[in-house]
Amino acid sequence: MSLFLVCEGPDDERHLKAMINAVLQESVDWLDFEHIQFRGVQEGSSYLRQASVNETHRRLFPNGLGMSARGTFGGEPAAPYAHSARKALQILQKVSESPDDGFVLVCDEDLSGNARIQGLSQARDASSLADRVAVGAPDPSMESWVLCGFKPKTDQETRRLDEESRNLKFDPSVESKRLREKTPGDPRNIKRVLDCLCGRDPDREREAASNLARIREVGRESGAVAFLEECQQRLPPLFGVYRN
């Protein structure tokens, strides 16, 4: 079986893999990383880039071929990103080769998390894949989920966090939702803060993204806790493990 992943880009892919692997290893005690194969559409790819969904859908479904990507959802108007998510699921259903495959859709783009998660949920719930699809919407961006899992391990990291907290007047690892995504010169720029705290170290970021206990403690407002719950509910059954 494979886990098909839809996200914004390689950084999001890296962080999501760490979170998903941690959830699965917590729930499936025999599972090793080598048992988890992440996939995109193209052979050898490990995720489908959100920005390429429309182009990929046109290529796989020329002239529509009866696969509508428009319309309502259960009689309700489409929320933001619902149509795009429906296209993504149609794509993944076409390329999936096993009834045991799982699917993870994470929208890390404009609008607030609540608006995005509503659209993703509409598309998921209207799909025949619904039981195997976990959705998530970081607020304001994927970096906020990683920051939620950051807990200083060294004196140097403690000093970095203390300095950032003084300058920002709040703890960015606890209140990451107050940071900004697209303001490069702003001290509250979320990428700058993550780079500072983790020292631009991908392994340290991966470790933070895997810190489920810390994320569950402080990550509710950013959407991280809801995403973990989605993964816990829908992914372990693919490996034969069911929650009570």
Side-chain angles (χ1 to χ4, degrees):
M1 59 86 64
S2 300
L3 285 179
F4 286 83
L5 181 61
V6 182
C7 60
E8 187 177 67
D11 288 340
D12 285 10
E13 174 208 17
R14 176 164 50 87
H15 298 147
L16 285 168
K17 282 183 176 179
M19 293 182 75
I20 295 167
N21 280 332
V23 169
L24 287 174
Q25 289 191 313
E26 183 180 66
S27 302
V28 190
D29 55 11
W30 53 263
L31 190 62
D32 198 350
F33 288 129
E34 64 185 27
H35 292 107
I36 307 173
Q37 179 186 5
F38 288 91
R39 279 203 48 190
V41 174
Q42 303 294 336
E43 184 175 354
S45 65
S46 54
Y47 73 100
L48 170 62
R49 189 167 179 260
Q50 175 68 36
S52 71
V53 165
N54 287 337
E55 177 185 353
T56 305
H57 193 273
R58 286 193 297 269
R59 176 170 55 83
L60 293 181
F61 300 100
N63 301 319
L65 289 179
M67 299 298 292
S68 172
R70 309 301 296 175
T72 61
F73 294 82
E76 296 293 326
Y81 296 100
H83 291 311
S84 176
R86 174 150 64 187
K87 287 181 181 180
L89 289 174
Q90 289 173 351
I91 292 168
L92 299 181
Q93 188 166 23
K94 185 176 180 67
V95 300
S96 173
E97 299 171 348
S98 169
D100 297 324
D101 288 339
F103 308 88
V104 178
L105 276 65
V106 174
C107 186
D108 186 10
E109 296 186 355
D110 296 335
L111 301 179
S112 69
N114 288 339
R116 286 177 276 140
I117 200 66
Q118 182 182 358
L120 293 173
S121 297
Q122 281 183 326
R124 185 264 306 284
D125 294 344
S127 170
S128 61
L129 303 174
D131 291 343
R132 297 184 277 147
V133 180
V135 298
D139 195 2
S141 66
M142 182 63 62
E143 288 83 3
S144 64
W145 288 2
V146 183
L147 284 168
C148 288
F150 178 82
K151 193 169 185 178
K153 295 179 60 180
T154 65
D155 291 342
Q156 183 181 36
E157 288 187 353
T158 298
R159 286 193 296 271
R160 289 175 186 164
L161 180 58
D162 288 345
E163 182 175 357
E164 287 294 321
S165 297
R166 283 195 303 272
N167 292 337
L168 295 168
K169 296 182 171 55
F170 63 89
D171 184 337
S173 71
V174 175
E175 299 182 83
S176 61
K177 193 175 183 296
R178 297 178 62 180
L179 297 169
R180 301 287 185 266
E181 182 181 8
K182 296 182 178 180
T183 49
D186 192 329
R188 293 175 296 173
N189 178 269
I190 196 165
K191 294 184 185 294
R192 182 201 67 78
V193 174
L194 180 63
D195 285 346
C196 175
L197 295 186
C198 290
R200 296 179 180 270
D201 182 349
D203 289 334
R204 186 66 182 94
E205 291 180 16
R206 189 178 302 111
E207 188 175 14
S210 303
N211 189 353
L212 302 187
R214 177 67 172 174
I215 292 173
R216 290 184 179 117
E217 181 182 345
V218 302
R220 189 163 297 279
E221 288 191 356
S222 68
V225 172
F227 177 67
L228 293 182
E229 291 172 350
E230 281 272 316
C231 291
Q232 288 168 331
Q233 176 183 354
R234 298 175 184 275
L235 300 185
L238 302 176
F239 297 88
V241 176
Y242 297 84
R243 300 181 67 194
N244 294 327

